[in-house]
């Protein structure tokens, strides 16, 4: 398969790239700082292509995906994303805008350019990395939660819209995965999982063309309960001291 992964320089994207390369697939990765991509992996796999691309820059991303695919693209994993870092009561709106641009428009851009290649093929697989944070409005992380909720809903809609075109759509909603993104968190992260283990689980779900994959299982149970409970209960629970912000701003 020809697989293009946005945000493949570190974390979940890098682990997925390694996994698909090990299985003999052609993999394209992009990130804004391609020098972060481990050189030993770059040197090991001839089937790998790296692109220094910001997913918000439409021209850059279209050119990279076109160059990689060379007419055939089987899967795109729109994985590039950023989070808030230290949570605060007062949103930093410049950060919030950046989060929405990368996490939502970045996915839209990747899907748009992938579809340009997949529609004539009458097959393909669009994948986006959402988050369990997309199921509820997390205190101190409004823009992140909103961006991931948007990704979940986009994928749900597209999974219906693109079925008739022969194109599958999957949304992946991980809990806490040990990556540079979560290494900046200073709060507890229950059920924290390594990115290599997460990539194995994600790949298994993608092999089965799951439309939505929420994991780890224990986190899925908690998120389902939080999502389904009356919103006044949810707000009261999140108002408890144990969920307090790490910063008072
Ligand atoms: N870790 C978790 O617990 C967790 C949980 C749920 C969902 N997620 C989601 O999983 C995805 C991957 O995150 P991660 O945890 O693996 O974090 P990570 O290690 O920080 O990886 C983020 C990747 O996105 C790239 N990226 C960020 N902004 C970009 C942009 N504008 N254009 C192109 N690439 C960009 C980064 O590369 P450059 O810095 O080189 O641009 C990096 O390769 C994100 O969408 C995140 O929201 C993570």
């Amino acid at each position: 398969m020809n697989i293009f992964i946005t945000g493949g320089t570190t974390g979940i994207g890098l682990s997925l790239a390694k996994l698909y390369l090990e299985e003999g697939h052609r993999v394209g990765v992009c990130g804004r700082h391609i020098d972060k991509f481990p050189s030993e992996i770059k040197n090991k796999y001839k089937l790998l292509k790296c692109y220094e691309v910001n997913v918000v820059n439409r021209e850059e991303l279209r050119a990279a995906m076109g160059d990689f695919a060379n007419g055939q693209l089987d899967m795109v994993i729109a994985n590039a994303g950023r989070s808030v870092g230290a949570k605060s009561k007062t949103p930093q709106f410049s950060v919030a805008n950046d989060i929405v641009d990368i996490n939502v428009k970045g996915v839209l851009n990747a899907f748009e350019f992938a579809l340009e290649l997949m529609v004539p093929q009458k097959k393909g697989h669009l994948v986006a990395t959402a988050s369990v944070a997309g199921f509820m409005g997390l205190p101190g992380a409004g823009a992140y939660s909103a961006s991931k909720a948007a990704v979940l809903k986009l994928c749900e809609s597209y999974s219906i819209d693109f079925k008739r075109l022969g194109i599958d759509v999957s949304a992946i909603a991980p809990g806490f995965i040990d990556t540079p993104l979560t290494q900046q968190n200073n709060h507890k992260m229950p059920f924290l999982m390594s990115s290599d283990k997460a990539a194995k689980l994600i790949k298994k779900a993608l092999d089965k063309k799951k439309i939505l994959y929420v994991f780890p299982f224990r986190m899925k149970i908690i998120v389902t309960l939080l999502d389904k409970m009356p919103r006044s209960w949810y707000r009261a629970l999140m108002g408890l001291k144990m969920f307090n912000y790490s910063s008072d701003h």
Side-chain angles (χ1 to χ4, degrees), residues 6-13 30-34 36 53-56 78-83 102-103 129-132 144 148 173-182:
T6 72
T9 55
T10 59
I12 299 169
C30 81
R32 292 159 305 173
H33 314 99
I34 208 64
K36 282 191 202 166
V53 162
N54 186 331
V55 290
V56 174
N79 168 76
R82 74 164 288 191
S83 72
I102 297 170
N103 296 8
T129 313
S131 168
V132 291
Y144 187 73
K148 296 302 185 181
F176 291 114
I177 314 299
D178 189 9
T179 69
L181 182 136
T182 45

Side-chain angles (χ1 to χ4, degrees), residues 3-234:
I3 303 163
F4 192 88
I5 304 173
T6 72
T9 55
T10 59
I12 299 169
L14 171 59
S15 292
L16 282 168
K18 286 191 293 185
L19 205 54
Y20 282 110
L21 284 164
E22 274 162 23
E23 289 202 354
H25 299 289
R26 262 190 87 231
V27 175
V29 297
C30 81
R32 292 159 305 173
H33 314 99
I34 208 64
D35 50 316
K36 282 191 202 166
F37 193 90
S39 51
E40 67 275 13
I41 296 170
K42 218 184 267 180
N43 299 334
K44 188 170 168 193
Y45 294 103
K46 291 212 163 50
L47 292 172
L48 168 75
K49 282 194 98 171
C50 298
Y51 299 89
E52 190 147 88
V53 162
N54 186 331
V55 290
V56 174
N57 185 318
R58 291 171 53 77
E59 287 70 34
E60 269 181 26
L61 185 62
R62 179 186 262 130
M65 289 175 65
D67 177 80
F68 168 73
N70 198 16
Q72 196 206 321
L73 186 64
D74 300 288
M75 189 192 289
V76 67
I77 306 179
N79 168 76
R82 74 164 288 191
S83 72
V84 249
K87 291 179 178 159
S88 61
K89 281 183 183 166
T90 315
Q92 288 177 275
F93 284 102
S94 64
V95 175
N97 269 289
D98 202 35
I99 287 173
V100 171
D101 278 347
I102 297 170
N103 296 8
V104 184
K105 290 188 188 167
V107 171
L108 277 174
N109 290 341
F111 280 9
E112 179 184 347
F113 306 140
L115 277 175
E116 289 175 359
L117 296 152
M118 289 174 180
V119 171
Q121 296 171 180
K122 297 190 174 68
K123 64 179 172 111
H125 194 170
L126 304 176
V127 181
T129 313
S131 168
V132 291
F135 290 96
M136 60 250 149
L138 286 177
Y144 187 73
S145 281
S147 73
K148 296 302 185 181
V151 171
L152 288 169
K153 296 306 169 200
L154 270 177
C155 289
E156 188 168 64
S157 297
Y158 288 170
S159 69
I160 304 161
D161 296 338
F162 302 149
K163 204 172 160 56
R164 68 191 164 82
L165 302 173
I167 291 160
D168 298 296
V169 182
S170 300
I172 303 299
F176 291 114
I177 314 299
D178 189 9
T179 69
L181 182 136
T182 45
Q183 282 152 16
Q184 59 182 334
N185 289 346
N186 51 6
H187 55 77
K188 285 204 179 108
M189 294 188 277
F191 323 127
L192 186 70
M193 181 185 282
S194 77
S195 66
D196 284 347
K197 182 163 182 207
K200 280 190 188 140
L201 294 173
I202 292 170
K203 187 181 171 295
K204 219 166 151 187
L206 295 181
D207 288 346
K208 291 182 188 159
K209 304 273 170 65
K210 283 201 171 186
I211 289 168
L212 174 64
Y213 179 53
V214 188
F215 75 105
F217 184 69
R218 285 180 293 177
M219 184 59 100
K220 182 179 175 176
I221 304 280
I222 291 174
V223 164
T224 306
L225 289 172
L226 291 173
D227 184 33
K228 304 290 176 217
M229 72 171 49
R231 299 332 281 157
S232 56
W233 295 13
Y234 173 75

